[in-house]
Amino acid sequence: MTPARAVVGARPGADLDPGATPSHEAPGAAGLRDDLEGLTLRLRAAIRRENRLDAFLLAAGMLQIAEDALDCEPELLLHVARRLGAAPGLGARAAAASARMVARAAGAIAEQHLDAEMRRWTAELAALVQVLADGIADPARPMPAGNCDAVLDGVHRLPPTLRRTAMRRPACFGIFDQHPDDVRELTARFAGFAPARRRPLLVLGVRTSGSYLAPLTGAFLRARGYADVTVLTLRPGRRQRAGQRRVMQAVARRGGLALVCDDPPGSGKTVAGVADRLAARGLDVVLLLAVFGPSRALPRDLAGRSAVLLGQADWAVTARLAPAAVSATVADLLAPAMEVVACERLDDGAPRRVRRHVRAAYRLTVRDRGHRDTGEVRIAVEGAGLGHLGADAAVVHRELEPYLAPLLGVRDGLLYREWLPDRARADRLTPDPARTAQRLAGYVDARARALPLSSDRSTGARGERPAWEAASLVLSRAFGRAQPAARVLVVDPAVQGLLRVQRPSRVDGSMELSRWFAAGAGDLVKVGWAEPDGASWRVASCDPVSDLAQVTAGSQDRVLGRLLLEAYNLLGHEPIEAERWLLHELAHLWSRERAAPDDPAPRRAAAVAMQAYMHEVYFTDLEPDGNGPLCALDVDGVLELGVLGFPALTPAAARALRALTAHGHRPVLATGRSEQEVIERCAAYRLAGGVAEYGAVVHAPGAVAPRSLLSGGQMATMERVREALRGLDGVHTDPRQRHAVRAWRNDGGPGLTRPLDDAELTTALTRAGATQTRRIHGDAQTDLVPLGVDKGAGMRALAALLGSGGETPPVVLAVGDGLPDVPVLDLAARPYAPAHAGHAVRRHARTTRRPYTAGFAEAVGELLVHAPGTCARCRIPEATSGRSLMLALLALREAGLRGLPRRALRVTRP
């Protein structure tokens, strides 16, 4: 049998698209530049090689950059308008309308002062793009070498900032594996839909994909005899320039028809908005779209509109994934040494409605031409991007071959590589963590050195999910309804400063352990290095640290994370600041939350990431006293706030916790959260123990396991309650709650939940035979525990567990803000309730002047007779300017909304 690795690795990365970049002229890593200047150099080379496809793709990318630059509305104002428009309330909508009005007025003024040379050059480039598109539709046309030189010679006269602007990768040819043949088929179907060849047609492409699809559509229409075809592109949400409006009005006056082109729609809102704007100008509108799924699969927002559609089963890439087509391509890649005898697809071959590259696996029987030996080979075929977009994947493989799965080549937008079994996935193995960290850090280091960038392109990528914007979206949630404006004015600049990149490079962006596989030699190799920047679950970054943080963002494997940082430092890099690491983790988790808004896992992982950061800043150097008096503390609203979309300790609470431990006290938790969450917080905050699930279970770090305080009968009752609630439509339960039951209903938005109604609870409890059950309604959930179980009983059990010499330590301080905290408050010598607590709680405690975590810090200050963190014993080491800035961001809501503007000013200070 012929070893699969020997066959697949016979010609690793040697073949690119036929007619694209021959192997002897393949661009090196330096040739991957995709700014305007880099595209210009690559276009000259494509014209010289008479590579029609690459020439068109490169010129269309240049035109996209130029046309975006001509849209003169201030991006910042437009962004604020979009965020305000998404916020609830008439005030937010009115503010959004005002921002849009100001942006349009500013754009109109700026358009009048546009550089005439830039306008002229853009018009010439648009004409060249159309000529190149005509060459795709009719290969008999000669290549326009003279026209190309005349346009490209003018690039050096453009503004430097424009020359350094990077193109946006088109989803159509860069992510969704569309092909010019799909456009050809769509125009053929349109010809049957509207056979009249003399009616004026306006082809309008929705940028970015429209920069490519619209010129191709116009070219194929002309090739089919349509005599009057005009092509425009526009960016959704932007004003139409004066010249664009004149063209639309001229076509409308002549009774023309508008064709809207875009990549396969998701929700369809963007395409619908563009179609409505065209209809408002008096144009009949037809959508010309490839769609995921069957040819009738239009999103709801586009339902009922005139449309010519191409279902996924009819896409060109679907035919290229057929076993016969794969067999022919692989045979060509392996020739002349090997031949393919048989090819079998390992999945069902049905098109998947997934907004990402296609993927398929195959089993091939191959034969050695010299010795006639046969063997079985398994390969994976996946989309890489068309033309030069896919060729980049082969160049990256050539630069980083030791770290990547063996590659046969890239042909016609598809990448052919060795198939690796799921059982070899790194996240399903138990490899040596140190060796894994060295391998992954080595890859990130090698990639950064092989694929450097001259500047950090993500700084100007507002609206395209750069890492700084994703992290800022998380932190600015503290501003509530004022988030859109406050983020732009306060948080964005702060986060950009914290994530400033010294040595930017092209990052991988799909670094999860599921993308790494154990190879034959025992080393891990990577797949998915061709995933584009625009993948729906990715954030854009030019910082190699983003790749490292992505490895553990979801799993929160702190051991592997620490080893990754150590391995990366040993390769000659400066130590990575905890703030930079946290922000990259939050950015990745925000992106995953956005892709799956009903999945609580990203928010839980974000909470753990924040705990790890606070541990690094406040608790690593602490040596807790094993015999000190206890301080019983509630979690939600006292130690942590959920204003960021997940529970997080604030700096005020962290200083207070640190001060208690530093002065010989033993802080312990008394919470309704699960035992696992208590265990996590005890480890992160160096706590002596905790009461979990309203007193149903206690945990002490020195104990073998958490101790349940429920009887066997009570545990069985809670299980019946859990099953009864799961049977209710739309009700969710927390699997981490093993002793109590936590249930909720979703409330119409990501992470938004509400408690259950008493009526449905009564029905479920009666069905479960659990009438002796206490109900605790929170703001976002309902908790259920057996009668007789409370935090006070749990605290007494924990105190006995933590006792030394048979003596139960006293509870000198307790802080709580809800009725379930009252039994604990009654145990303490000094009971406190923050100012936001209800009257029923405040009757059992001293009320602090300040609310929430600031109130907790105030209570600790009274106990210690000084403000936490102000004496030599409990003070934290002097913070760097970056750490001070980060802590100021995290402190925005620690005293509620009161004083928020003053705390925001601290963030804006240098």
Side-chain angles (χ1 to χ4, degrees):
M1 297 292 284
T2 305
R5 181 164 291 269
V7 173
V8 178
R11 299 174 62 197
D15 285 89
L16 310 177
D17 284 343
T21 309
S23 58
H24 63 279
E25 292 186 18
L32 298 181
R33 285 181 58 194
D34 54 4
D35 57 10
L36 191 58
E37 286 183 338
L39 295 176
T40 301
L41 296 173
R42 298 172 78 174
L43 178 54
R44 288 189 190 277
I47 293 286
R48 186 174 63 251
R49 296 191 308 270
E50 297 193 357
N51 182 334
R52 294 175 181 271
L53 179 58
D54 264 4
F56 167 73
L57 293 173
L58 290 161
M62 294 171 62
L63 184 60
Q64 172 260 304
I65 295 172
E67 291 198 313
D68 277 354
L70 292 179
D71 290 339
C72 301
E73 293 168 286
E75 175 60 35
L76 199 59
L77 270 177
L78 289 173
H79 183 75
V80 170
R82 286 193 295 269
R83 299 298 301 174
L84 287 170
L90 291 175
R93 288 196 291 273
S98 299
R100 278 192 294 269
M101 187 182 305
V102 174
R104 278 160 172 64
I109 295 171
E111 185 182 354
Q112 296 173 6
H113 296 84
L114 274 174
D115 180 63
E117 173 65 22
M118 181 176 165
R119 290 194 207 210
R120 182 191 62 77
W121 180 83
T122 303
E124 292 176 352
L125 177 60
L128 173 61
V129 168
Q130 201 56 68
V131 170
L132 292 169
D134 290 337
I136 300 288
D138 181 7
R141 288 174 175 263
M143 290 289 285
N147 296 25
C148 179
D149 288 339
V151 173
L152 300 187
D153 288 343
V155 171
H156 74 276
R157 294 192 294 272
L158 299 175
T161 54
L162 180 59
R163 297 200 305 267
R164 291 192 294 269
T165 301
M167 75 169 197
R168 301 187 186 198
R169 190 180 179 101
C172 57
F173 298 138
I175 301 174
F176 299 152
D177 306 304
Q178 291 178 259
H179 192 278
D181 288 348
D182 299 328
V183 184
R184 188 193 307 272
E185 177 61 23
L186 271 170
T187 54
R189 295 184 180 193
F190 172 76
F193 174 84
R197 296 301 199 265
R198 293 187 177 277
R199 187 179 185 183
L201 300 179
L202 172 64
V203 181
L204 194 141
V206 182
R207 290 202 298 269
T208 298
S209 287
S211 297
Y212 300 77
L213 296 173
L216 282 174
T217 300
F220 284 120
L221 287 170
R222 282 189 290 272
R224 289 192 167 273
Y226 289 90
D228 190 349
V229 180
T230 305
V231 173
L232 288 178
T233 73
L234 58 81
R235 178 74 59 193
R238 299 292 186 93
R239 61 184 288 276
Q240 296 160 358
R241 300 193 298 273
Q244 293 173 325
R245 292 195 298 272
R246 285 194 295 269
V247 170
M248 293 177 191
Q249 291 163 358
V251 175
R253 281 196 301 268
R254 293 184 290 129
L257 181 66
L259 307 181
V260 178
C261 305
D262 197 7
D263 53 64
S267 68
K269 289 183 180 179
T270 298
V271 173
V274 171
D276 290 343
R277 292 175 70 181
L278 291 171
R281 296 199 175 275
L283 286 159
D284 294 331
V285 180
V286 174
L287 310 180
L288 219 60
L289 299 170
V291 293
F292 292 107
S295 58
R296 301 181 301 278
L298 266 182
R300 183 176 60 184
D301 285 344
L302 298 178
R305 298 175 184 266
S306 296
V308 176
L309 307 176
L310 184 68
Q312 196 172 6
D314 297 325
W315 292 13
V317 71
T318 303
R320 298 203 307 280
L321 291 174
V326 171
S327 177
T329 302
V330 174
D332 189 41
L333 289 169
L334 295 179
M338 310 288 293
E339 61 180 336
V340 178
V341 178
C343 178
E344 175 191 3
R345 186 160 176 169
L346 297 178
D347 54 53
D348 59 14
R352 302 286 190 261
R353 294 191 66 175
V354 179
R355 297 177 64 80
R356 68 179 188 198
H357 279 310
V358 294
R359 275 181 207 145
Y362 301 83
R363 178 169 49 236
L364 289 81
T365 303
V366 298
R367 182 162 51 215
D368 187 311
R369 289 185 184 273
H371 300 88
R372 312 305 291 174
D373 293 333
T374 61
E376 184 179 284
V377 178
R378 297 194 179 199
I379 66 166
V381 181
E382 55 193 24
L386 195 64
H388 78 93
L389 301 169
D392 288 359
V395 175
V396 171
H397 188 278
R398 189 159 42 247
E399 295 291 328
L400 300 165
E401 181 182 341
Y403 293 96
L404 305 178
L407 175 70
L408 277 78
V410 179
R411 289 289 182 89
D412 212 13
L414 294 176
L415 181 149
Y416 297 75
R417 63 165 175 83
E418 179 186 10
W419 176 84
L420 297 163
D422 274 356
R423 66 176 180 274
R425 266 175 38 182
D427 62 333
R428 297 184 176 181
L429 302 173
T430 54
D432 175 17
R435 187 175 180 184
T436 299
Q438 290 170 3
R439 182 70 171 169
L440 271 59
Y443 170 69
V444 172
D445 172 70
R447 187 180 180 99
R449 297 179 191 276
L451 306 172
L453 293 171
S454 59
S455 62
D456 180 3
R457 297 171 180 172
S458 71
T459 55
R462 185 182 299 276
E464 299 177 49
R465 299 197 305 276
W468 64 263
E469 184 177 44
S472 180
L473 278 163
V474 174
L475 296 180
S476 60
R477 289 169 177 166
F479 285 95
R481 293 187 176 183
Q483 181 194 27
R487 180 169 74 80
V488 171
L489 298 173
V490 178
V491 186
D492 280 358
V495 174
Q496 282 183 315
L498 289 168
L499 290 182
R500 187 172 291 112
V501 186
Q502 299 299 325
R503 296 179 180 176
S505 67
R506 292 169 63 110
V507 303
D508 183 293
S510 59
M511 284 288 294
E512 299 91 339
L513 286 178
S514 61
R515 310 299 274 164
W516 289 84
F517 290 75
D523 278 332
L524 296 177
V525 295
K526 192 178 185 305
V527 302
W529 69 92
E531 287 284 1
D533 291 341
S536 62
W537 44 268
R538 287 185 56 166
V539 294
S541 178
C542 298
D543 188 352
V545 175
S546 176
D547 275 348
L548 291 172
Q550 191 180 25
V551 175
T552 59
S555 68
Q556 288 302 309
D557 185 338
R558 307 320 301 185
V559 173
L560 180 58
R562 176 177 54 80
L563 292 172
L564 275 171
L565 293 172
E566 292 174 358
Y568 195 65
N569 291 344
L570 290 174
L571 293 170
H573 298 274
E574 294 292 327
I576 298 170
E577 304 90 345
E579 292 72 32
R580 189 172 164 199
W581 184 264
L582 172 66
L583 290 173
H584 278 301
E585 284 194 308
L586 293 180
H588 287 300
L589 293 169
W590 172 87
S591 183
R592 294 203 172 277
E593 178 186 343
R594 184 175 179 270
D598 292 331
D599 183 4
R603 292 185 289 277
R604 292 171 182 168
V608 176
M610 188 64 75
Q611 290 167 21
Y613 174 73
M614 289 297 187
H615 176 84
E616 172 79 13
V617 175
Y618 288 99
F619 305 112
T620 51
D621 62 334
L622 283 182
E623 292 295 336
D625 187 333
N627 299 304
L630 301 183
C631 299
L633 311 170
D634 187 23
V635 173
D636 296 291
V638 174
L639 284 183
E640 298 177 349
L641 299 178
V643 294
L644 301 183
F646 55 87
L649 198 68
T650 70
R655 288 193 301 271
L657 270 182
R658 176 185 172 85
L660 286 173
T661 302
H663 287 278
H665 296 82
R666 284 190 287 175
V668 294
L669 302 179
T671 178
R673 290 191 169 271
S674 68
E675 65 176 79
Q676 182 58 40
E677 292 172 286
V678 167
I679 291 171
E680 291 169 351
R681 284 162 174 78
C682 286
Y685 307 154
R686 307 292 299 274
L687 303 180
V691 174
E693 303 184 35
Y694 296 100
V697 60
V698 296
H699 163 69
V704 175
R707 176 185 168 193
S708 175
L709 302 184
L710 301 188
S711 66
Q714 289 174 319
M715 288 288 286
T717 299
M718 288 294 98
E719 185 57 35
R720 292 198 304 272
V721 171
R722 194 174 290 109
E723 288 301 319
L725 290 174
R726 286 173 182 162
L728 297 178
D729 187 40
V731 172
H732 304 268
T733 60
D734 189 342
R736 296 172 300 176
Q737 295 268 349
R738 297 174 56 243
H739 307 269
V741 176
R742 173 161 289 187
W744 66 87
R745 287 186 178 276
N746 288 334
D747 200 24
L752 299 178
T753 62
R754 62 178 175 83
L756 306 187
D757 297 331
D758 276 323
E760 63 185 345
L761 273 175
T762 299
T763 301
L765 293 176
T766 301
R767 186 183 303 132
T771 55
Q772 299 299 303
T773 301
R774 186 160 61 106
R775 311 172 187 186
I776 305 170
H777 291 298
D779 293 333
Q781 81 287 322
T782 296
D783 295 310
L784 301 163
V785 295
L787 285 177
V789 173
D790 62 44
K791 291 184 182 181
M795 184 55 59
R796 286 190 290 270
L798 178 63
L801 189 63
L802 295 175
S804 58
E807 295 184 4
T808 300
V811 179
V812 297
L813 175 76
V815 186
D817 65 345
L819 285 175
D821 299 315
V822 169
V824 178
L825 295 173
D826 290 342
L827 290 176
R830 287 173 169 264
Y832 284 90
H836 69 277
H839 178 69
V841 179
R842 295 201 303 268
R843 285 188 305 169
H844 294 262
R846 309 180 193 181
T847 303
T848 63
R849 290 178 296 103
R850 307 179 74 190
Y852 302 109
T853 61
F856 163 56
E858 182 183 328
V860 172
E862 289 190 14
L863 174 68
L864 301 179
V865 201
H866 68 273
T870 58
C871 79
R873 196 169 179 180
C874 62
R875 186 180 298 122
I876 64 170
E878 186 174 353
T880 63
S881 58
R883 176 153 298 175
S884 298
L885 181 58
M886 185 71 193
L887 295 178
L889 285 167
L890 297 178
L892 286 168
R893 282 283 291 277
E894 60 189 14
L897 293 173
R898 186 190 308 169
L900 181 57
R902 174 175 51 80
R903 289 189 294 277
L905 286 175
R906 296 178 188 168
V907 177
T908 62
R909 292 173 186 166

